[in-house]
Amino acid sequence: MKNIFVLFSFLILTSSCAKDTYEKEILNHQYKQNLKFQDKSTSPLTEEGLKEFEALNFYTIDEKFRVVATLTKTPDALVFGMPTTTSRKPLYKKYGILTFTIDNKEHQLNLYQSQDFNREPTYRDYLFLPFTDTTSGQESYAGGRFLDVLTTDEKEGTIVIDFNKVYNPYCAYSDRYSCPITPKENHLNVAIRAGVKAYDKH
């Protein structure tokens, strides 16, 4: 009986430590985001917005929005011009389809890869994951939110998607940017209350 109690206590402690470690990881991510926005050389904010800026508004950290998604690659997908908030149409290709579960319901998102091979080598492994959800236009930015994924994130046909790290496109903060418009096929019929909220100054 004593051994069972010791084991149970150990499992609770381990679970608690893991949760604390995860929250610290996300808090550190949020801290770095705020530093970026406070720095005039890296901030997307307008001069007026920068003066008033205190911190980004984030949802409460919720580990249920860190999901393991199955990746189905689409090597034969066609290259297309992705619409943006301006006349610019950068070339993208659907890299694959992500399938995952939230609240016992299955969802899918398309993952895209830029076909601009003249960009910096640093970004060659970057994939683009834009999405809207039922909070878009109310609690979160109407144009959708983004998440960066790397080709190297794939492990045995799966990719961890952490919605607690999603961010707004720069268009949410200033009209001087040209941002991709989230494809309609990447709408999630679920509330993703994770990551950054809407910026109500713009």
Side-chain angles (χ1 to χ4, degrees), residues 50-173:
L50 196 57
K51 290 178 182 177
E52 299 177 357
F53 181 75
E54 294 182 0
L56 292 168
N57 191 11
F58 293 99
Y59 283 101
T60 301
I61 299 169
D62 190 341
E63 198 166 357
K64 84 171 184 179
F65 291 113
R66 181 185 183 275
V67 298
V68 178
T70 300
L71 173 64
T72 303
K73 292 184 179 179
T74 53
D76 298 325
L78 300 176
V79 175
F80 68 98
M82 184 173 286
T84 66
T85 52
T86 63
S87 59
R88 185 177 67 95
K89 284 194 173 183
L91 297 179
Y92 277 87
K93 181 178 181 180
K94 185 161 72 173
Y95 181 84
I97 302 170
L98 295 169
T99 304
F100 54 92
T101 301
I102 293 178
D103 292 336
N104 298 317
K105 291 186 179 180
E106 187 175 275
H107 303 278
Q108 288 188 332
L109 286 175
N110 289 335
L111 188 59
Y112 303 95
Q113 184 176 47
S114 172
Q115 298 302 294
D116 178 11
F117 296 113
N118 292 321
R119 61 182 176 164
E120 293 181 35
T122 310
Y123 298 101
R124 285 291 175 90
D125 291 329
Y126 274 69
L127 299 172
F128 180 47
L129 183 60
F131 72 93
T132 55
D133 63 278
T134 59
T135 71
S136 301
Q138 299 182 52
E139 300 170 24
S140 65
Y141 181 56
R145 292 175 290 168
F146 299 167
L147 184 63
D148 292 327
V149 180
L150 299 176
T151 56
T152 52
D153 289 338
E154 181 188 352
K155 307 295 181 186
E156 298 181 351
T158 64
I159 291 181
V160 172
I161 302 300
D162 196 337
F163 289 104
N164 288 290
K165 294 181 179 180
V166 299
Y167 60 90
N168 288 328
Y170 279 4
C171 293
Y173 307 100

Side-chain angles (χ1 to χ4, degrees), residues 21-36:
T21 300
Y22 177 70
E23 287 188 357
K24 286 179 182 178
E25 175 193 338
I26 301 302
L27 287 172
N28 184 55
H29 174 80
Q30 294 177 355
Y31 173 72
K32 289 180 179 178
Q33 287 293 99
N34 280 322
L35 284 181
K36 181 179 179 180

